[in-house]
């Protein structure tokens, strides 16, 4: 998946671009995210949600993987469930991770979006384009969502970026560095004034290309986190955004 931020004011231009079908599929989605009081899932790099679409409930478990800057490639486990209670069994890693604390899982926040879906053939690849508009809710706190997801169903991953560049000609797009789960967890804590660089985890057996990609993703994440926070009342956010850009220039050097 390639996640991109789009302004609500630009969605009409995107739909009218001519690149997308005139009659997209339309879904109303409500997703409830679960974790333990100690946040054992998020600390271990997993998210767990139950998504409602009409009368259907689908439980999805995702492994976070490496810190992402737009491009998300994560293992997923999906299961149709009957009730609004997670099913923890041997088909996923969560049973061994949680053990007896699985009973502590509780809903923490929810995401409500209207999703428009198009399916495209682009440069020999099959890509699902989804436009999500809605909000994340945690108690009385809210944050708006307006994002575009390009999901590669078949073909070369480079086609995702090619399509994104083409769509950007009609509606300005920006790399999205926060998943919906990350947005929800941020609502549960204190509001941040700035975001410092995250640890860059490199594999001892990795290639130079892989290391460079991880470093660049970290720099982009730092810049985009702080770009949202830049305000005359938050001078540290501007400083940290500049730090992210300086780290990026150093990486290219």
């Amino acid at each position: 998946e390639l996640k991109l931020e789009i302004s609500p004011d630009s969605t009409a231009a995107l739909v009218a671009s001519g690149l997308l079908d005139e009659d997209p599929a339309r879904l109303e989605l409500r997703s409830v995210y679960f974790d333990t009081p100690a946040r054992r899932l998020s600390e271990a790099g997993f998210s767990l949600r139950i998504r409602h679409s009409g009368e259907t409930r689908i439980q999805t478990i995702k492994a976070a993987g490496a810190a992402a800057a737009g491009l998300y490639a994560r293992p997923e486990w999906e299961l149709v469930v009957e009730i609004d209670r997670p099913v923890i069994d041997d088909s996923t890693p969560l049973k061994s991770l949680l053990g007896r604390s699985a009973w502590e899982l509780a809903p923490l926040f929810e995401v409500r979006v209207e999703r428009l879906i198009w399916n495209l053939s682009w440069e020999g690849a099959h890509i699902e384009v989804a436009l999500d508009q809605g909000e994340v809710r945690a108690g009385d706190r809210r944050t708006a969502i307006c994002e575009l997801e390009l999901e590669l169903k078949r073909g070369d991953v480079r086609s995702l970026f090619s399509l994104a560049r083409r769509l950007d000609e009609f509606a300005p797009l920006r790399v999205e560095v926060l998943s919906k789960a990350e947005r929800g967890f941020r609502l549960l804590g204190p509001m941040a004034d700035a975001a410092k660089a995250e640890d860059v985890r490199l594999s001892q057996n990795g290639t130079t290309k892989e290391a460079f990609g991880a470093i660049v993703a970290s720099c982009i994440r730092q810049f985009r986190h702080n770009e949202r926070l830049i305000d005359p009342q938050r001078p540290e956010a501007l400083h940290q955004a500049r730090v992210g850009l300086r780290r990026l220039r150093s990486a290219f050097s």
Side-chain angles (χ1 to χ4, degrees), residues 146-209:
C146 189
E147 65 183 28
L148 195 68
E149 293 185 5
L150 310 182
E151 183 174 349
L152 184 67
K153 297 295 187 178
R154 184 177 64 252
D156 192 325
V157 70
R158 288 175 293 186
S159 62
L160 293 179
F161 294 92
S162 171
L163 177 58
R165 286 191 289 269
R166 185 72 175 107
L167 293 171
D168 182 64
E169 297 176 11
F170 297 92
L173 303 172
R174 305 178 80 79
V175 172
E176 178 57 80
V177 297
L178 288 177
S179 67
K180 293 182 177 69
E182 288 177 304
R183 287 173 178 266
F185 279 107
R186 289 190 168 217
L187 288 180
L188 298 175
M191 299 298 291
D193 290 327
K196 294 187 177 181
E198 301 165 328
D199 290 340
V200 180
R201 300 184 182 277
L202 304 180
S203 168
Q204 187 174 11
N205 299 320
T207 65
T208 303
K209 176 181 177 181

